[in-house]
Amino acid sequence: MLEGSVEHASNGSLREISEFSIILLFGGYLLVDSLNGMLMTKFALPSVLSVAYKQLMLVMLLLYSYVYARKAFITSCLLLMTVFTWFLFRFTLVDGLHALEPLQEAIKAAYFFIVVAVVSDFKFLQLKHLKNILVCFIAVLLLNVFVTLLGIGERAYGDFGAKGFFYAGNALSGVLVICASYFLTKIYSRSLVLFLLIGFFLAALSLVIGTKSGFLGIVLLMGLLILINLDARSLLLSFVTVFLLSIAAFLLIEQISQNPLVERVRFFYQQGGIYYALFSGRETFLITLWPVLLDADIYQMLFGIDIEQLYQVKRLRSEMDWLDMYIYFGTVLCLVCSLGYVGVLARLWLVRHTLLGLSALLSFILLILISLIAGHVMFNGMVTPLWGLVCAFALNKNVGAKQVLKEESF
């Protein structure tokens, strides 16, 4: 009996070590993405480091689930089998070896669901783990802004936008929205002053990085949190915020009007109105792709558009995620992903009265909205692991049910 207790304790320790190791890997992946971007932009090396690191994370998740969470392992295997079955159909019926590129994107989409399935079954998960990861991510973003201001890092758009060493600056909007959803949801009930300060800081950070969708996402997030918790205090906060912003805008109107991001939005607005400014001219990408989409045969509609035809028009994606999912995945895999998103969203709705549940739900909604007008969200290797991690924390029974919000929230 004593030997059984010792063996049980040993297994518990090994499981805890395994979980902590995986959490550490998650905490470091944005820094690895930054280093990977530096190797690509400064030394013209292929994107190997980031891919290898994410594959290591995936293997660790699968090994952990095989040993300690068989249901999550089966779910993960079914997801991967679905992706590879789709790939075989696409390889055979559409574009042969060209299907390898869409396969990479499909694995990125599946990554989100695998993280949700496995991490939500962790036994020793703690709220501080998520907080520490998000703090590290904000620190990495600030570091990249700093190296850009020093003249070492890269600009996002010509002479503005401090994206640092990140190769895909647009993807940072998703990371910012996920981090903001947690911190602003957590701080709202504690201090309105801190809520405003942190909200303005994150919004300013998104403007410095040069991500318009990130800025809009954070502004929408602050508005949603005030609306969800609508009371006399929230109304007062809204009036004070609008009043202070109006004064600031009046005093800084000249500096604001000369901001490169504002000038870029104004340029697009002058070209085609509010619609053109919102989509940053992405409808021109759609115009280029439209003939290819119309000429697609039944197999392309089901499994994705022939990549060779996309090369012929020199446009591989529309930079609007839902349309790009159809281009790469076809109707079949798009439907599978959509059902998966609905399933996760329904589960998050059931835990919306918890801190993690509400923050994950809000980030989920905002990422879906952002993906309608921007790319690099739904199946981006920089966003999907963190997105899945936040949802998994919210759904994990050992940590997600803690810190229940007031019942009238949402």
Side-chain angles (χ1 to χ4, degrees):
M1 182 174 178
L2 182 60
E3 291 179 357
S5 299
V6 172
E7 184 179 356
H8 179 75
S10 176
N11 289 336
S13 299
L14 287 174
R15 182 171 184 175
E16 185 174 6
I17 292 171
S18 299
E19 292 181 5
F20 187 68
S21 300
I22 293 172
I23 292 298
L24 279 179
L25 287 174
F26 271 96
Y29 90 74
L30 193 67
L31 179 60
V32 171
D33 282 345
S34 178
L35 294 175
N36 182 76
M38 181 182 69
L39 295 175
M40 293 177 66
T41 56
K42 298 297 184 181
F43 303 100
L45 295 176
S47 179
V48 175
L49 179 62
S50 182
V51 171
Y53 192 90
K54 302 282 177 56
Q55 294 305 313
L56 173 62
M57 289 169 58
L58 181 60
V59 170
M60 289 284 287
L61 287 169
L62 292 175
L63 287 175
Y64 170 87
S65 61
Y66 176 76
V67 176
Y68 299 111
R70 287 301 177 89
K71 185 178 179 180
F73 178 73
I74 293 172
T75 300
S76 301
C77 288
L78 288 175
L79 283 168
L80 293 175
M81 286 175 59
T82 300
V83 168
F84 283 107
T85 301
W86 158 83
F87 167 73
L88 289 176
F89 276 103
R90 173 161 184 146
F91 176 85
T92 305
L93 302 173
V94 180
D95 51 4
L97 288 176
H98 285 299
L100 289 172
E101 186 170 344
L103 174 62
Q104 296 175 16
E105 306 300 331
I107 292 175
K108 293 175 185 176
Y111 214 120
F112 166 77
F113 299 108
I114 292 173
V115 172
V116 172
V118 178
V119 179
S120 63
D121 216 7
F122 275 17
K123 184 179 179 180
F124 299 98
L125 211 57
Q126 297 181 39
L127 184 62
K128 66 179 182 180
H129 294 153
L130 179 61
K131 183 190 71 173
N132 292 338
I133 289 173
L134 297 180
V135 168
C136 287
F137 275 34
I138 294 295
V140 171
L141 293 177
L142 290 173
L143 176 62
N144 278 270
V145 168
F146 181 68
V147 297
T148 300
L149 297 179
L150 289 178
I152 303 172
E154 301 293 321
R155 294 285 182 177
Y157 303 99
D159 60 347
F160 81 98
K163 71 173 184 177
F165 294 128
F166 290 108
Y167 186 74
N170 282 339
L172 297 178
S173 61
V175 174
L176 275 168
V177 166
I178 293 170
C179 293
S181 297
Y182 173 78
F183 289 119
L184 292 179
T185 302
K186 181 178 181 180
I187 206 65
Y188 184 88
S189 60
R190 298 186 180 184
S191 170
L192 293 179
V193 174
L194 280 178
F195 172 78
L196 288 176
L197 290 176
I198 293 175
F200 290 155
F201 165 74
L202 292 173
L205 178 59
S206 65
L207 288 178
V208 172
I209 292 173
T211 164
K212 178 183 63 180
S213 54
F215 175 78
L216 292 175
I218 292 170
V219 171
L220 281 174
L221 172 64
M222 295 179 71
L224 282 172
L225 281 170
I226 293 173
L227 185 63
I228 289 168
N229 298 278
L230 193 60
D231 52 22
R233 190 182 70 157
S234 299
L235 288 174
L236 178 62
L237 172 66
S238 302
F239 285 129
V240 171
T241 302
V242 172
F243 178 71
L244 293 176
L245 288 177
S246 300
I247 293 177
F250 177 77
L251 295 175
L252 302 173
I253 185 65
E254 185 174 348
Q255 290 84 348
I256 293 173
S257 63
Q258 294 176 356
N259 182 277
L261 183 59
V262 174
E263 290 181 356
R264 185 168 183 262
V265 173
R266 185 191 300 122
F267 169 78
F268 283 118
Y269 179 78
Q270 292 171 347
Q271 296 297 312
I274 187 65
Y275 179 83
Y276 205 80
L278 185 63
F279 287 90
S280 300
R282 287 186 176 90
E283 63 269 26
T284 59
F285 302 159
L286 178 58
I287 293 172
T288 301
L289 291 167
W290 194 246
V292 178
L293 299 179
L294 288 179
D295 291 339
D297 57 29
I298 184 64
Y299 296 124
Q300 292 185 58
M301 286 189 284
L302 287 175
F303 304 112
I305 305 301
D306 189 338
I307 295 296
E308 189 172 353
Q309 294 183 24
L310 298 178
Y311 277 123
Q312 291 175 4
V313 297
K314 300 179 180 180
R315 171 54 57 184
L316 295 181
R317 58 198 306 166
S318 68
E319 300 297 337
M320 291 180 284
D321 268 350
W322 286 97
L323 180 57
D324 289 337
M325 287 179 71
Y326 171 74
I327 290 172
Y328 281 127
F329 302 161
T331 306
V332 173
L333 200 56
C334 272
L335 181 60
V336 172
C337 289
S338 298
L339 291 174
Y341 292 134
V342 170
V344 175
L345 185 61
R347 293 179 64 191
L348 290 176
W349 178 263
L350 296 176
V351 295
R352 66 190 183 278
H353 297 302
T354 67
L355 164 65
L356 290 176
L358 182 58
S359 63
L361 180 63
L362 289 175
S363 65
F364 198 109
I365 293 171
L366 289 170
L367 288 177
I368 295 295
L369 291 176
I370 290 173
S371 70
L372 296 175
I373 62 171
H376 310 287
V377 176
M378 307 299 291
F379 51 99
N380 180 271
M382 194 183 298
V383 178
T384 50
L386 180 62
W387 186 18
L389 187 70
V390 169
C391 293
F393 265 83
L395 297 173
N396 186 284
K397 294 179 181 179
N398 296 313
V399 66
K402 297 178 181 179
Q403 297 196 19
V404 177
L405 299 169
K406 58 182 181 180
E407 288 299 319
E408 62 268 22
S409 294
F410 217 39

